[in-house]
Amino acid sequence: MKVCLHIFRNLKMGGCQTLALSIIQSNNRLKHVIVYLNDDVELLDAFNDSADTVHFIDQKKGKAVVSEQLNEIMKRYSVNCVISWFYPYTLRLEINSKKVINHIGMAALPLRNLQFYKNIANYLFYRRKIKSQTSVFASEHIKNTFSKYFYPSSSSHVIHNGIPTLKYKNNIRKKENIVTMVGRLDGSKDFDSFIKLANESCFDNLKFFIAGCGDDSSRLKELNKKCGGNAVFLGLVEDVPELLSRTKVSIFLNKPIEGFGNVIIESMASGCIVISNNIGASKEIIIDNISGFLVEDYSELKAVLYRTVASEFDANELTIEAKNKVDSAFDIKITANKYLELM
């Protein structure tokens, strides 16, 4: 049986971590070894339950020590394939494996900050190895931005994220007047506009929930308080499928740096009406006015929400189309099989 080693910067609740968990849980054709490098470990129990073995290597020990310990683990378990679940060049790790797959789940945008220039310097150091490895982009949007600012590897693929669709209940008749936005509160999504929306007087009959946590939480809570306090912060929600099963409208206000919004396909699988910004990978997932709605600005967002929560709006055809799209294109079995083909 082949052995795959997965490397993570952390095991927090995030898109690549949940995708990796789903891949591990969806098949038993491989043994899975987990290595994580810092102690942000919201999902540690889930990985312990799903993978064959989990190891911690302290990133603070430096590149040389981390590389040495990593290669010792690879030798111990006779690892055949390595998947790096973060930007491949950021740590300059020496990985002694003929098969290295780099999952790239965030867009490479010129933010002109210190980290952007560090990424360029690290990439220039690491580029020869990247070109000999396999890059997997979670969307065409990520691939396009990455190719614009960095040289891609000689072998590159787009594999959209997937979800275990059977976990999500699609019963539109049990929907409540709930509008939800799910995601990490870390500045990568436009929660500010969602809070503004929640405090519009024309939506007094709706409940607005924010599910997630992150460094931007305190600022957003203060903003909500100033606007009227109508948005309810749920914190980290462990059972997202249950929340979405009750949600009538799921809003995902991505920013250009967002690579692929898992919550979009989770919401589509749950029978929610989905509204997202018309940027990035959202355009690869949603067909506007057919399986969801893509909006250009705040005024259009407000208008679309007002229309979709009106009593005469029939969401049945739209939600069926959305569910069919997820089942045919974004089921985790499809994603897992595409990864397995590369291993």
Side-chain angles (χ1 to χ4, degrees):
M1 182 178 288
K2 287 186 176 181
V3 180
C4 180
L5 185 141
H6 304 257
I7 311 174
F8 298 90
R9 290 290 288 268
N10 54 61
L11 297 182
K12 68 182 181 182
M13 180 70 73
C16 65
Q17 290 86 350
T18 53
L19 172 61
L21 266 176
S22 295
I23 290 173
I24 292 168
Q25 293 166 352
S26 70
N27 74 87
N28 56 8
R29 285 185 278 171
L30 295 171
K31 286 188 176 181
H32 297 275
V33 178
I34 307 299
V35 171
Y36 64 99
L37 306 178
N38 71 47
D39 57 3
D40 193 349
V41 290
E42 292 170 289
L43 293 176
L44 179 58
D45 288 344
F47 276 100
N48 277 326
D49 291 341
S50 302
D52 293 275
T53 182
V54 178
H55 300 268
F56 172 65
I57 301 176
D58 191 350
Q59 180 183 335
K60 296 176 183 177
K61 293 181 178 179
K63 167 197 163 185
V65 173
V66 172
S67 296
E68 180 182 0
Q69 293 184 7
L70 181 63
N71 287 299
E72 286 176 358
I73 292 172
M74 290 171 57
K75 185 176 180 181
R76 186 190 316 167
Y77 295 103
S78 301
V79 169
N80 306 102
C81 174
V82 175
I83 301 182
S84 174
W85 291 95
F86 55 89
Y87 272 132
Y89 47 82
T90 53
L91 299 184
R92 302 185 184 182
L93 296 179
E94 298 292 336
I95 303 174
N96 297 328
S97 175
K98 293 181 180 179
K99 191 68 176 181
V100 179
I101 299 172
N102 298 299
H103 170 86
I104 302 175
M106 184 175 289
L109 297 176
L111 300 180
R112 308 305 178 196
N113 58 16
L114 180 60
Q115 187 59 51
F116 177 74
Y117 292 109
K118 282 184 178 180
N119 286 349
I120 291 178
N122 286 334
Y123 174 78
L124 292 174
F125 177 87
Y126 203 56
R127 61 183 173 180
R128 286 186 180 178
K129 291 192 174 183
I130 291 177
K131 287 185 177 181
S132 67
Q133 299 173 357
T134 298
S135 294
V136 175
F137 302 93
S139 67
E140 292 287 349
H141 168 62
I142 300 172
K143 182 178 180 179
N144 292 340
T145 59
F146 195 89
S147 299
K148 183 176 181 180
Y149 299 107
F150 304 102
Y151 294 100
S153 63
S154 58
S155 174
S156 62
H157 307 264
V158 173
I159 301 179
H160 288 121
N161 292 355
I163 59 170
T165 54
L166 294 178
K167 284 178 58 177
Y168 297 86
K169 300 174 183 178
N170 182 18
N171 191 340
I172 192 170
R173 295 181 180 179
K174 292 186 178 180
K175 296 296 184 182
E176 303 173 31
N177 280 338
I178 294 174
V179 182
T180 300
M181 185 164 169
V182 180
R184 288 192 66 82
L185 313 184
D186 58 4
S188 65
K189 301 167 187 66
D190 184 12
F191 280 98
D192 295 57
S193 292
F194 184 83
I195 289 171
K196 181 179 178 182
L197 200 66
N199 289 284
E200 294 276 6
S201 59
C202 58
F203 299 129
D204 286 345
N205 62 321
L206 303 176
K207 298 176 183 177
F208 287 81
F209 291 160
I210 292 176
C213 56
D215 297 338
D216 205 25
S217 177
S218 296
R219 184 192 69 82
L220 290 171
K221 288 179 179 178
E222 185 62 29
L223 175 64
N224 182 50
K225 185 178 179 181
K226 290 179 180 178
C227 290
N230 288 336
V232 178
F233 288 76
L234 303 178
L236 179 64
V237 174
E238 293 185 3
D239 194 350
V240 172
E242 190 279 330
L243 173 62
L244 293 176
S245 72
R246 296 185 291 117
T247 295
K248 185 172 186 177
V249 180
S250 177
I251 294 178
F252 185 76
L253 301 179
N254 49 325
K255 295 181 180 180
I257 197 170
E258 182 75 36
F260 185 97
N262 276 20
V263 71
I264 296 178
I265 55 177
E266 291 174 335
S267 300
M268 291 167 69
S270 302
C272 303
I273 300 167
V274 181
I275 306 173
S276 182
N277 285 335
N278 189 25
I279 56 176
S282 296
K283 296 184 288 184
E284 300 173 41
I285 306 170
I286 297 172
I287 302 174
D288 191 29
N289 284 290
I290 294 177
S291 57
F293 297 95
L294 298 170
V295 298
E296 300 291 345
D297 51 33
Y298 180 80
S299 62
E300 188 176 358
L301 169 65
K302 180 180 176 181
V304 169
L305 179 62
Y306 189 85
R307 178 159 63 95
T308 56
V309 297
S311 59
E312 65 272 13
F313 183 80
D314 184 0
N316 190 57
E317 186 174 338
L318 181 141
T319 55
I320 290 174
E321 184 69 31
K323 181 66 167 64
N324 290 340
K325 177 70 178 291
V326 173
D327 288 344
S328 63
F330 301 113
D331 187 88
I332 189 58
K333 292 180 181 178
I334 298 172
T335 302
N337 286 334
K338 289 180 179 179
Y339 267 91
L340 289 169
E341 289 173 2
L342 298 177
M343 294 178 185

